[in-house]
Amino acid sequence: MKTLAFVHRNDTRFAVGDFSPVLSVFSYHELGTTPSPFLLLDHIGPGRLLPGRPPGGVNSHPHRGFETVTLVYAGELAHKDSTGGGGVIRAGDVQWMTAGSGIMHEERFSADFAREGGAFEMIQLWVNLPARDKMTPPAYQALTRERIPCLTLEDGAGEVRIIAGCFRDLTGPARTRTRMTVLDIHLAAGRSLTLPAEDGDTALLYVRAGTLQLADDENVEDGGLVVLSSHGRDISLSTRTGCRLLALSGEPLGEPLNGHGPFVMNTYDEILAAYDDIRSGRFAITQPA
């Protein structure tokens, strides 16, 4: 069984475009390659949008060399990108966008949600691409709520949504470039659960709400990121209160990491090339309308 390595917390909240509050749970700038293949996790909200506001968000911006995974728990997000992909991401939906060689996209509250207002909460996860796939053509996966398997646990213990990878006999719909598991979990108070993870794999638990208890009696409250040892198989956890968490595990890439702003590559020269492509007009030929 994997053991606790450390708990990472960052309680500073800020705004990203018009999205606020945003908690930067972790990033490769702080933790380096420790969370590989995962790069960054932002928790947007919980918050409330007043009705009648313009459909704000983040204006068109570039990405290269990685994937963004957006989970919407409340509210609605409208997405447009330079491949022609996009649409409205509703509560329970997940968007898996591969930036690859380069994409321009924008993310805003949907027009309907901005008009009506209401509660919003989202998570955005960045997933690194291996060197062989960093310049792959960009792609878009719209994983609607109906497509994501949800396993109801025994005796009312909770439920597990399988976004990527496998849990028990269910497989998530996301197509990934490397082996990984992404599980969205609701576990009732005083319950235990064992999650799959391979020996040598990175394993992370983000506590979105509630209090999690690990096998060594370490309590982790909402906003905390549990980083587990790569040694050992599987993850054992329990809850003190009802708990909502995101469980991430995967094979670390074991490659150099060099990132700046919206680009994550392997070398500094590749970062310079991305900026040069922006300046010269070679980056993502068609921008969002």
Side-chain angles (χ1 to χ4, degrees):
M1 201 70 65
K2 290 185 181 295
T3 57
L4 175 66
F6 60 91
V7 176
H8 178 74
R9 290 196 70 94
N10 180 5
D11 294 323
T12 302
R13 286 168 170 79
F14 55 96
V16 176
D18 295 320
F19 296 128
S20 178
V22 178
L23 172 66
S24 176
V25 177
F26 76 89
S27 79
Y28 66 95
H29 297 295
E30 302 164 287
L31 300 183
T33 59
T34 296
S36 178
F38 310 105
L39 291 167
L40 173 152
L41 192 150
D42 284 345
H43 187 174
I44 304 163
R48 180 165 290 276
L49 186 70
L50 296 176
R53 299 289 297 274
V58 181
N59 293 329
S60 182
H61 58 284
H63 288 304
R64 174 180 282 180
F66 61 98
E67 301 179 296
T68 65
V69 181
T70 305
L71 296 81
V72 175
Y73 295 101
E76 288 186 354
L77 194 66
H79 167 90
K80 294 181 182 179
D81 68 47
S82 52
T83 70
V88 175
I89 315 165
R90 297 179 171 84
D93 295 348
V94 175
Q95 175 212 74
W96 198 296
M97 186 187 79
T98 303
S101 61
I103 201 168
M104 299 288 295
H105 79 142
E106 62 180 50
E107 301 156 295
R108 297 180 175 276
F109 290 119
S110 72
D112 287 346
F113 181 68
R115 181 177 61 254
E116 297 172 6
F120 65 87
E121 183 180 7
M122 309 164 199
I123 279 179
Q124 186 165 96
L125 171 71
W126 288 14
V127 176
N128 203 6
L129 286 169
R132 66 176 183 270
D133 291 329
K134 283 196 172 291
M135 295 299 286
T136 195
Y140 183 88
Q141 299 178 65
L143 310 178
T144 59
R145 180 174 185 167
E146 294 76 17
R147 292 185 58 202
I148 299 171
C150 183
L151 177 67
T152 300
L153 301 172
E154 300 82 0
D155 302 320
E159 61 183 26
V160 179
R161 294 202 311 153
I162 303 93
I163 297 167
C166 299
F167 179 71
R168 297 188 182 174
D169 60 346
L170 296 176
T171 300
R175 300 184 304 274
T176 65
R177 300 281 175 159
T178 58
R179 179 175 51 77
M180 70 185 66
T181 300
V182 178
L183 303 176
D184 184 32
I185 301 170
H186 174 213
L187 199 58
R191 301 302 182 108
S192 298
L193 186 64
T194 299
L195 304 177
E198 297 295 325
D199 183 51
D201 277 8
T202 295
L204 311 172
L205 301 171
Y206 173 58
V207 183
R208 184 164 65 91
T211 303
L212 184 67
Q213 186 176 43
L214 301 178
D216 53 5
D217 294 328
E218 177 81 16
N219 292 330
V220 184
E221 297 180 343
D222 55 285
L225 177 76
V226 176
V227 181
L228 297 162
S229 168
S230 62
H231 302 295
R233 293 174 57 89
D234 298 339
I235 303 163
S236 176
L237 56 91
S238 301
T239 55
R240 293 185 64 85
T241 68
C243 195
R244 297 183 183 274
L245 63 144
L246 190 67
L248 309 172
S249 63
E251 182 180 11
L253 297 185
E255 297 175 348
L257 181 62
N258 200 303
H260 189 276
F263 308 129
V264 182
M265 304 299 288
N266 297 109
T267 70
Y268 183 60
D269 285 345
E270 290 171 323
I271 298 295
L272 294 179
Y275 281 106
D276 187 57
D277 286 347
I278 290 281
R279 286 191 297 268
S280 65
R282 295 191 299 267
F283 190 97
I285 297 171
T286 305
Q287 295 191 13

